[in-house]
Amino acid sequence: MLNIHNLSVSFGGTYLFEEITFRLGAGDRVGLVGKNGAGKSTMLKILARDIAPDTGSIATEKEVKIGFLRQDIDFEQGRTVLEEAYEAFTDIKIVEKKLEEINHQLVTRTDYESEEYSQIIEDLADYTHRFDLLGGYNYVGDTEKILLGLGFKREDFNNQTETFSGGWRMRIELAKLLLQSNDILLLDEPTNHLDIESIIWLENFLRNYPGVVVIVSHDKMFLDNVTNRTIEISLGKAYDFNKPYSQYLELRHEIREKQLATQKNQAKKIEETEKLIEKFRAKASKASMAQSLIKKLDKVERIEVDEDDNSVMNISFPVSITPGKVVIEAENVTKKYGEKTILKDISLLVERGSKIAFVGQNGQGKSTFIKAIVKDIDYSGTIKLGHNVQLGYFAQNQAEYLDGEITLLQTMQDAANDTNRSKVRDMLGSFLFRGDDVEKKVKVLSGGERNRLALCKLLLQPINVLVMDEPTNHLDIKSKNVLKAALQQYEGTLLLVSHDRDFLQGMSNIVYEFKDQKIKEYLGDINFFLEQRNLENMREVEKKDAVKKEVPKDKSLSYEEQKKGKALQNKLSKVESQIKQLEMDIQKDDKLLASNYDKHIEDASFFMAYNKKKKDLDNLLEEWETIQMEIENA
């Protein structure tokens, strides 16, 4: 379907990639991966014919339709959701307009016997036939079906596109691509700004897509769930395997290990041959043999090991000073935009050291609540920061606040103070901006590089409460892993908005879902939240045909009672975690006993520890029952 041969692109005399060759066929769902700045988005632009390569060629079958979902979507203001979605039907709209002109002429003209009128009648028949062939009678229904499938409501259809958040605008653009019936889909960071439910919907759609899909994404779980092939651009070369991303990493590691072992064996043989040559050269009778060995050595094809770019950020978030026990206290927070209420009477208590994830569909108020906390917007209600709280805020569009016309070094120096201005070069180096890189203007950086710079700039201020809104957008997978490790080691308080399930795993002990102007608390990590949501969905399916029973409404709890209930829930969650760990430890000991009973029966210390774990488990189970009764009584 698409043949790429010897593609090369250079900037400023340095090759971004050189002589890359691969072929794309029907059913290929390719993850195009690599570090920030490796050339992934450039490759997509070349495939979409937005830019031309320095050398090489792209050959396609005739009439292949290519759809390109870009990172930055720029809608024309003044269009409604429906009007923007209808932009997918360029040919149909042209024919439709022509038909309107013809029908207008038929109504207004009276020269029924003229040749011109006869020609209009013929044109009407021709254009009506073309309209039918193009699917003109179905496009309105198809558009509504796709928009509803992507989560829009009918009342959204006539709203202006600029009133929607970035994630919803991304869905409109995606709807246009799906309606065009493209043979090849090029998707650049399609999960940026999409909520988890939307990502799951997109995964299901792409898995069943019959054409070619090429995806640039740093969402490891999304790539593993969708792709069947991985092409990595690294240090100017392309590595291509028919495996999803995680399997590709394992396979490439195995291949590199074999290359290293083979190279080592070859080097040993070459060394032995060189010693023989030196030995034979000293004897006239062996000179011909030495020459023979030299010729043989010259013909040996030296084994090369694939280069691997292992450079990663070096990042940590030190806690400036210890704040009070309660770091954020929100009561009855309400936010409206015009007539539209986003948040209504939200109350929330954040304690020191909490790791909290905010999740939910786009437009449900996650970023709005974050902006209220950092005093970025007006709202009704109260939000109090605790004693000695020093907020560090990373906005969803943080990179957009950077001045593109100044250098990286100037960006850091302008934000620094007298105590850390001398450290900015070292800080930039730890974020992989080294040597002459610091003299580059910000505008030449890729999206991921700008995010790295914004993170680096954030560290110039003292922080003990980190508030981060989609910090992984545009970051490559290695950078995301480094950021995740740094946040896991962070000893302060973390409030995190993210749609990236892989990044969220193990990051939080509390999840708040934003939905219908309210929040709902889940005492666990993102996996626990998803399990609970699936259970709820299944219950809803089971209850669909059941007769609804009248359930008395719970009387509203006071704020103090809510706080007490939350403390009990936290305590219960902690005990449940300890029970789970002990059960796993006892299960491991049981396996050891089963595999080698005679050895462990004589080990007194093993059995003492084994019995202690069982006793501790019994005590924890009793404690769990007591707390559960307290919660029920409360």
Side-chain angles (χ1 to χ4, degrees):
M1 191 173 284
L2 195 68
N3 288 301
I4 295 89
H5 184 66
N6 286 344
L7 279 192
S8 298
V9 171
S10 62
F11 291 104
T14 303
Y15 277 102
L16 194 58
F17 45 79
E18 190 174 6
E19 295 188 351
I20 288 180
T21 297
F22 57 90
R23 184 183 181 280
L24 300 174
D28 280 342
R29 298 191 299 277
V30 180
L32 186 60
V33 301
K35 294 190 67 175
N36 294 139
K40 306 180 297 295
S41 294
T42 301
M43 177 62 77
L44 286 192
K45 288 173 184 175
I46 291 171
L47 297 181
R49 309 297 173 89
D50 281 5
I51 61 174
D54 294 344
T55 63
S57 61
I58 302 175
T60 61
E61 296 175 7
K62 287 183 179 180
E63 297 179 0
V64 166
K65 292 174 65 178
I66 298 176
F68 185 15
L69 183 69
R70 294 166 175 81
Q71 278 187 27
D72 303 312
I73 302 168
D74 187 20
F75 286 151
E76 184 179 310
Q77 290 200 353
R79 286 183 185 148
T80 65
V81 172
L82 271 180
E83 287 169 346
E84 186 63 45
Y86 288 158
E87 290 297 305
F89 304 102
T90 309
D91 294 340
I92 289 176
K93 297 300 284 183
I94 291 170
V95 175
E96 189 175 51
K97 189 175 181 181
K98 189 66 180 175
L99 281 170
E100 287 173 5
E101 292 173 3
I102 291 170
N103 283 314
H104 178 71
Q105 289 184 58
L106 289 173
V107 171
T108 56
R109 292 181 68 138
T110 57
D111 54 335
Y112 307 123
E113 305 299 327
S114 68
E115 290 185 11
E116 290 86 351
Y117 197 88
S118 298
Q119 185 60 49
I120 292 170
I121 296 294
E122 288 182 22
D123 290 344
L124 176 64
D126 289 341
Y127 278 105
T128 301
H129 182 60
R130 284 178 63 184
F131 190 71
D132 188 23
L133 288 175
L134 290 169
Y137 296 109
N138 302 319
Y139 84 91
V140 172
D142 289 343
T143 302
E144 293 184 3
K145 183 179 176 182
I146 290 291
L147 288 172
L148 290 169
L150 284 168
F152 287 93
K153 297 174 183 175
R154 288 194 181 275
E155 52 264 36
D156 296 327
F157 289 175
N158 293 315
N159 292 338
Q160 303 286 305
T161 57
E162 56 263 30
T163 64
F164 290 88
S165 65
W168 286 101
R169 288 201 294 270
M170 176 77 79
R171 293 188 210 199
I172 298 170
E173 191 67 16
L174 188 58
K176 285 158 65 177
L177 289 179
L178 304 187
L179 288 164
Q180 287 167 352
S181 302
N182 292 292
D183 302 298
I184 299 173
L185 273 183
L186 308 175
L187 307 178
D188 197 357
E189 299 283 10
T191 62
N192 275 2
H193 311 300
L194 287 187
D195 54 67
I196 290 171
E197 291 179 10
S198 305
I199 293 170
I200 292 170
W201 182 91
L202 183 57
E203 285 176 354
N204 291 331
F205 174 84
L206 292 176
R207 274 198 292 263
N208 299 310
Y209 191 75
V212 173
V213 184
V214 182
I215 306 166
V216 169
S217 178
H218 301 127
D219 186 333
K220 178 185 169 187
M221 190 173 290
F222 179 74
L223 289 171
D224 282 342
N225 289 343
V226 171
T227 63
N228 54 20
R229 181 178 170 189
T230 301
I231 298 176
E232 180 179 12
I233 300 176
S234 177
L235 301 172
K237 294 182 178 180
Y239 300 91
D240 186 355
F241 289 89
N242 289 321
K243 298 285 182 184
Y245 181 72
S246 293
Q247 292 180 35
Y248 157 73
L249 284 182
E250 293 175 13
L251 187 59
R252 191 177 168 204
H253 177 72
E254 289 173 13
I255 290 170
R256 198 167 183 276
E257 290 295 310
K258 288 177 182 177
Q259 286 177 338
L260 283 167
T262 309
Q263 187 189 55
K264 189 177 178 180
N265 289 335
Q266 188 187 59
K268 187 178 179 182
K269 289 178 181 178
I270 288 171
E271 186 183 358
E272 290 171 355
T273 304
E274 286 173 341
K275 285 179 181 178
L276 279 175
I277 290 169
E278 289 301 315
K279 184 179 178 182
F280 290 160
R281 268 178 176 166
K283 298 179 182 179
S285 60
K286 301 286 187 180
S288 61
M289 191 175 289
Q291 288 299 317
S292 177
L293 287 173
I294 289 170
K295 289 178 182 177
K296 183 180 178 182
L297 200 58
D298 288 340
K299 292 178 182 178
V300 172
E301 190 174 332
R302 305 296 169 108
I303 293 168
E304 293 184 4
V305 177
D306 293 339
E307 288 185 81
D308 207 1
D309 189 352
N310 288 314
S311 54
V312 292
M313 295 188 298
N314 179 19
I315 180 174
S316 63
F317 295 96
V319 175
S320 52
I321 54 175
T322 303
K325 185 177 180 183
V326 176
V327 294
I328 300 170
E329 190 168 1
E331 286 192 71
N332 301 321
V333 174
T334 299
K335 176 61 182 175
K336 293 182 179 180
Y337 289 102
E339 296 297 314
K340 189 174 183 181
T341 302
I342 303 298
L343 301 171
K344 187 175 181 181
D345 295 330
I346 300 295
S347 295
L348 178 67
L349 189 76
V350 179
E351 296 181 349
R352 181 182 62 229
S354 298
K355 300 290 189 290
I356 296 172
F358 290 162
V359 301
Q361 283 193 337
N362 292 317
Q364 293 291 333
K366 305 183 298 296
S367 296
T368 300
F369 189 61
I370 288 286
K371 288 174 182 176
I373 290 172
V374 300
K375 313 297 182 189
D376 216 19
I377 57 171
D378 296 325
Y379 57 91
S380 60
T382 60
I383 297 179
K384 298 176 186 175
L385 298 184
H387 179 63
N388 280 340
V389 167
Q390 294 178 326
L391 279 177
Y393 174 44
F394 188 93
Q396 186 176 134
N397 56 343
Q398 189 73 41
E400 293 175 16
Y401 293 114
L402 300 172
D403 186 347
E405 296 302 324
I406 63 175
T407 66
L408 281 68
L409 184 60
Q410 191 64 52
T411 299
M412 291 290 287
Q413 287 176 339
D414 289 350
N417 54 42
D418 292 337
T419 59
N420 56 27
R421 188 167 284 109
S422 61
K423 300 176 184 176
V424 296
R425 281 185 178 271
D426 291 337
M427 291 177 70
L428 284 167
S430 69
F431 278 79
L432 305 182
F433 300 117
R434 299 178 181 129
D436 293 339
D437 287 343
V438 300
E439 301 298 339
K440 288 180 180 177
K441 285 192 174 182
V442 172
K443 65 182 180 183
V444 305
L445 301 179
S446 69
E449 289 170 325
R450 289 191 189 197
N451 255 30
R452 288 212 312 264
L453 178 60
L455 282 169
C456 187
K457 185 181 172 185
L458 178 67
L459 293 179
L460 289 169
Q461 63 187 88
I463 298 166
N464 54 26
V465 177
L466 257 178
V467 181
M468 309 194 86
D469 191 357
E470 303 287 9
T472 63
N473 280 355
H474 307 297
L475 284 183
D476 61 61
I477 291 170
K478 287 182 179 178
S479 296
K480 280 205 306 189
N481 291 339
V482 172
L483 176 60
K484 180 174 180 175
L487 291 175
Q488 285 176 323
Q489 292 168 12
Y490 174 58
E491 295 178 356
T493 306
L494 175 66
L495 273 66
L496 178 64
V497 176
S498 180
H499 61 266
D500 189 326
R501 291 158 295 166
D502 183 58
F503 183 75
L504 283 172
Q505 284 178 342
M507 288 289 285
S508 64
N509 47 30
I510 302 172
V511 174
Y512 284 102
E513 181 187 19
F514 284 68
K515 191 173 184 180
D516 298 330
Q517 306 169 1
K518 299 291 185 182
I519 59 172
K520 183 175 181 181
E521 184 184 61
Y522 295 82
L523 294 170
D525 67 359
I526 192 64
N527 289 334
F528 176 75
F529 161 72
L530 290 172
E531 285 170 13
Q532 294 298 304
R533 283 301 308 272
N534 286 336
L535 285 173
E536 284 181 15
N537 290 340
M538 287 303 294
R539 288 194 196 107
E540 289 302 316
V541 171
E542 291 164 4
K543 290 178 182 177
K544 187 177 281 187
D545 298 321
V547 178
K548 290 186 177 179
K549 296 181 181 179
E550 287 294 321
V551 180
K553 292 184 178 178
D554 293 333
K555 64 178 182 179
S556 59
L557 300 174
S558 70
Y559 191 60
E560 288 301 315
E561 286 172 326
Q562 288 181 41
K563 287 202 283 187
K564 183 182 177 182
K566 180 179 176 181
L568 285 171
Q569 287 287 357
N570 286 339
K571 192 175 179 182
L572 186 71
S573 180
K574 186 177 179 182
V575 170
E576 285 175 345
S577 179
Q578 291 172 329
I579 289 170
K580 186 178 179 181
Q581 186 60 51
L582 268 177
E583 287 176 338
M584 288 169 63
D585 291 345
I586 292 169
Q587 194 174 18
K588 286 180 184 176
D589 289 348
D590 287 339
K591 286 181 180 178
L592 287 171
L593 280 171
S595 62
N596 201 339
Y597 183 80
D598 292 338
K599 176 185 174 183
H600 292 99
I601 194 71
E602 297 173 3
D603 188 348
S605 61
F606 175 84
F607 267 95
M608 282 178 66
Y610 179 67
N611 289 325
K612 186 178 182 303
K613 288 173 190 174
K614 286 196 166 187
K615 188 175 180 182
D616 288 346
L617 180 60
D618 290 338
N619 292 336
L620 281 170
L621 289 168
E622 287 179 15
E623 186 179 353
W624 181 90
E625 191 174 349
T626 303
I627 298 168
Q628 189 68 43
M629 287 177 66
E630 285 183 56
I631 291 171
E632 288 172 5
N633 291 333

